[in-house]
């Protein structure tokens, strides 16, 4: 298969982890006889530095003409402490998602047997957890109108949803549930928010189309508790943009490290794959960033194009690396000198010479 | 001391747990020679049934002429599945908070030594956790304008904050930090939300007034993860209304049961004390509801009026009940027949005959 892949490494540890994912994709292409080509674009803080904008036109056009997109991370600490900054790295990612109409962010949360001890949760509580979170990505409060009063004394954000935005991701989530344990949990705050009540109403109206899926509902505050108390109760979680952001980052504690969580962002035309960890600037260029989330993103990319054997070979390599403690320091209790690129090298080697 | 206390038992398990708290307060009054009087008011689903409104005028006036308020819980499941309901139990509580200008909700999160095994978290991760959450309670998205388009296809909620609303709770939180470990963490989403940027700006401007307090900042998604990964890093958490709702319910996993978390809601004139668990209707009238959160709310009430010895005697009784497994089934691994009122009786007895 020929795939032209736009690569947006972004900020912080984005470039170092993304380069490991690219390395792995190249090994896969070689091993399976595919032709993968890569074209790089600037985004976020790196783009602001060069062009004054977080998403240059050129980057957008690279993405639009590619078959798919591999994304790194975004964000620079200096902007966090400047509440008045006019341009922000995060705008690049938000604008990209909007421009490409990436409305569904899909995040698997799996408790790896070899990593149970890394979780702050008791093994028996998380063992066999296998959740997939469907987070709406194109609307809600992150995109709603924002105001700051002229005197700077008051500010507001609007959370807005319409039926179409809810239905299109809900169909994906219902279908995912059908192919899994047939359980869908909607997370909202319908006892207080009008937008949440619309979510609940739309989902309840859709439910009869998926009669074999058991549907239940949690408020976000309760869900944040239940996800830790009893994660195995969940199969597919469907939720709006900000609640999905919160729950999926929280869910990383089940996996043992946020450095292991990958995601796919899908739209009607484009698909983008990215780790859920952010730029984690403190770790930049130290060789300690965990590349697994980025490599797993590449795996989701391969799945998306039906390259299932290829994806499963990478997953096998990752499991092997975990078993042998070929991991970065966030996960390593045995060796303290396994760098980001060493992990990538191991996985590359495994692909070249699988046992 | 004379205290006239408005009691609003509310819905679900509210009445049964509140009656245990009242029982304990009566024992305290007897033992220490105080005069506590109690006046009951309807709120929530119970009030809707009787009067068609979730907060009758009479209840409001009972609260306003009392010295303080003891609150149970609110909510009825039948409203949750009716997205079109015009009157909702929760409106009673939201309106009460607004009418009494209760702008600060304060929630202690303490890992009890005798309950470490009840948490899904590993003992070593939670041992000695002692956090207090300051949640803004009078503004934000729960109170902002709500719209539902005429065709029912689109809905919105507004999250709004002004400087005054931020400052008044922030002063309380900074002061609390000064009397504790001198660490304050603001939780926001300043990389995306305008209202969060205002929070951050105001807090940064206030910080020089509290030079001995170390201030740091987390985004809500990261905070939801950090609270589980390493709860001991937190001392005082300050945050807006909805983020506080989410984090404090999530934090209950540290304590081992949501049935143990109490809260105080303070305003310039009034103070109300309530468990953070909701109506939990499934458990209503089964004698299995944990009354400790409600009894701890009464303890916070006593603290508020400077009755520190009284409060500490109740806390001693609670610890003793936990040690002896005189607890409701949510916490009990030894006996399966200790009811809500049995727990209250034990604490009452302890107050009457402390060792
Ligand atoms: Mg996030
Ligand atoms: Mg709550």
């Amino acid at each position: 298969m020929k795939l032209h892949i736009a690569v947006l490494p972004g900020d912080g540890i984005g470039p170092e982890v993304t380069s490991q994912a690219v390395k792995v994709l190249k090994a896969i292409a070689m091993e399976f006889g595919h032709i993968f080509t890569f074209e790089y674009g600037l985004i976020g803080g790196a783009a602001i530095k060069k062009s004054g904008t977080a998403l240059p036109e050129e980057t957008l056009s690279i993405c639009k003409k590619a078959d798919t997109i591999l994304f790194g991370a975004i964000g620079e600490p200096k902007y966090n402490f400047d509440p008045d900054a006019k341009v922000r790295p995060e705008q690049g990612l938000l604008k990209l998602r909007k421009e490409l109409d990436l409305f569904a962010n899909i995040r698997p949360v799996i408790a790896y047997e070899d990593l149970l001890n890394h979780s702050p949760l008791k093994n028996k509580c998380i063992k066999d957890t296998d959740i997939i979170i469907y987070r709406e990505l194109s609307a809600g409060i992150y995109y709603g109108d924002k105001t700051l009063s002229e005197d700077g004394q008051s500010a507001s954000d609007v959370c807005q949803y319409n039926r179409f935005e809810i239905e299109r991701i809900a169909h994906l989530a219902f279908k995912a549930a059908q192919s899994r344990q047939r359980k869908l949990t909607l997370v909202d705050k319908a006892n207080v928010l009008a937008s949440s009540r619309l979510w609940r109403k739309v989902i309840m109206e859709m439910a009869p189309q998926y009669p074999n899926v058991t549907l239940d509902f949690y408020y976000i505050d309760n869900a944040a508790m239940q996800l830790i108390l009893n994660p195995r109760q969940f199969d597919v979680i469907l939720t709006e943009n900000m609640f999905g952001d919160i729950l999926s980052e929280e869910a990383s504690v089940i996996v043992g490290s946020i450095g292991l969580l990958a995601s796919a962002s899908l739209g009607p035309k484009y698909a983008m794959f990215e780790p859920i960890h952010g730029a984690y600037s403190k770790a930049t260029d130290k060789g300690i960033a965990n590349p697994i989330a980025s490599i797993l993103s590449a795996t989701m990319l391969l799945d998306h194009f039906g390259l299932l054997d290829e994806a499963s070979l990478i997953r096998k390599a990752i499991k092997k690396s975990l078993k042998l403690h070929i991991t970065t320091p966030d996960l390593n209790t045995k060796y303290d000198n396994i760098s980001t690129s060493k992990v990538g090298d191991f996985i590359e080697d495994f692909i070249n010479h699988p046992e």
Side-chain angles (χ1 to χ4, degrees), chain A:
Chain A
M1 182 180 278
K2 272 190 187 184
L3 278 181
H4 185 60
I5 302 171
V7 182
L8 312 185
D11 302 325
I13 61 169
E16 33 193 318
V17 297
T18 306
S19 75
Q20 302 311 310
V22 169
K23 186 198 282 180
V24 168
L25 284 171
K26 284 179 176 165
I28 286 288
M30 186 80 85
E31 191 64 23
F32 288 81
H34 301 305
I35 297 168
F36 295 166
T37 48
F38 302 90
E39 189 171 358
Y40 288 77
L42 286 174
I43 192 166
I48 294 174
K49 211 178 293 159
K50 202 128 185 196
S51 68
T53 159
L55 178 66
E57 274 307 319
E58 196 196 335
T59 299
L60 189 58
S61 90
I62 289 172
C63 292
K64 285 191 172 172
K65 67 175 213 276
D67 294 308
T68 187
I69 304 150
L70 188 67
F71 182 87
I74 219 163
E76 275 187 22
K78 67 174 172 182
Y79 297 94
N80 298 349
F81 294 98
D82 178 5
D84 295 322
K86 288 283 170 291
V87 195
R88 296 178 173 278
E90 286 80 3
Q91 292 165 346
L93 182 54
L94 292 178
K95 197 171 165 214
L96 184 65
R97 289 173 180 165
K98 199 79 190 171
E99 289 280 347
L100 302 180
D101 201 13
L102 303 174
F103 65 82
N105 187 242
I106 300 164
R107 303 182 168 193
V109 178
I110 294 162
Y112 292 92
E113 195 66 32
D114 281 309
L115 289 179
L116 294 180
N117 287 330
H118 285 278
S119 171
L121 294 160
K122 289 171 183 158
N123 291 8
K124 62 171 187 209
C125 296
I126 54 173
K127 198 172 156 23
D128 298 324
T129 296
D130 183 351
I131 306 172
I132 193 158
I133 300 177
Y134 277 70
R135 167 188 171 194
E136 203 290 327
L137 202 61
S138 72
I141 198 166
Y142 290 1
Y143 285 103
D145 281 342
K146 293 174 180 9
T147 70
L148 177 66
S149 64
E150 267 194 20
D151 60 5
Q153 303 296 297
S154 167
S156 72
D157 302 274
V158 177
C159 178
Q160 175 134 23
Y161 269 104
N162 65 44
R163 174 177 293 264
F164 168 73
E165 288 158 345
I166 298 167
E167 278 178 350
R168 61 181 181 172
I169 184 166
H171 280 301
L172 294 183
F174 270 113
K175 280 175 194 152
Q178 282 183 321
S179 73
R180 294 171 45 103
Q181 301 302 310
R182 294 202 270 278
K183 187 169 172 200
L184 180 66
T185 303
L186 176 69
V187 174
D188 63 29
K189 189 69 185 173
N191 54 342
V192 184
L193 302 182
S195 53
S196 282
R197 285 196 279 276
L198 182 64
W199 270 85
R200 199 170 276 216
K201 190 183 170 103
V202 170
I203 302 307
M204 282 164 70
E205 285 171 13
M206 291 171 71
Q209 297 174 51
Y210 301 92
N212 58 349
V213 174
T214 307
L215 179 62
D216 68 356
F217 303 89
Y218 275 139
Y219 299 138
I220 175 65
D221 46 340
N222 187 25
M225 178 180 79
Q226 295 292 341
L227 189 61
I228 303 299
L229 269 188
N230 179 13
R232 273 190 303 269
Q233 73 182 290
F234 296 108
D235 177 23
V236 179
I237 293 177
L238 168 64
T239 191
E240 60 100 70
N241 200 340
M242 187 166 72
F243 296 163
D245 191 11
I246 296 170
L247 285 182
S248 57
E249 195 142 335
E250 181 187 340
S252 71
V253 300
I254 296 166
V255 188
S257 168
I258 194 166
L260 288 169
L261 269 83
S263 79
S265 299
L266 306 182
K269 206 166 151 194
Y270 302 100
M272 183 164 94
F273 301 87
E274 54 174 309
I276 86 151
H277 62 68
Y280 194 33
S281 305
K282 276 183 270 185
T284 307
D285 289 333
K286 290 187 178 156
I288 58 173
N290 192 334
I292 298 295
S294 183
I295 295 170
L296 278 172
S297 304
T299 312
M300 292 181 84
L301 182 159
L302 295 170
D303 276 332
H304 182 74
F305 288 98
L307 303 177
L308 306 183
D309 290 344
E310 289 82 340
S312 109
L313 181 58
I314 301 178
R315 288 199 179 92
K316 224 171 127 184
I318 290 172
K319 281 191 184 150
K320 186 95 184 187
S321 76
L322 297 176
K323 193 168 226 73
L324 297 178
H325 304 276
I326 313 295
T327 66
T328 44
D330 53 317
L331 293 177
N332 216 320
T333 48
K334 203 161 170 191
Y335 312 118
D336 60 1
N337 56 353
I338 312 268
S339 67
T340 306
S341 62
K342 279 263 167 57
V343 176
D345 291 345
F346 176 88
I347 291 168
E348 181 189 30
D349 276 357
F350 187 94
I351 291 165
N352 293 336
H353 315 283
E355 289 97 315

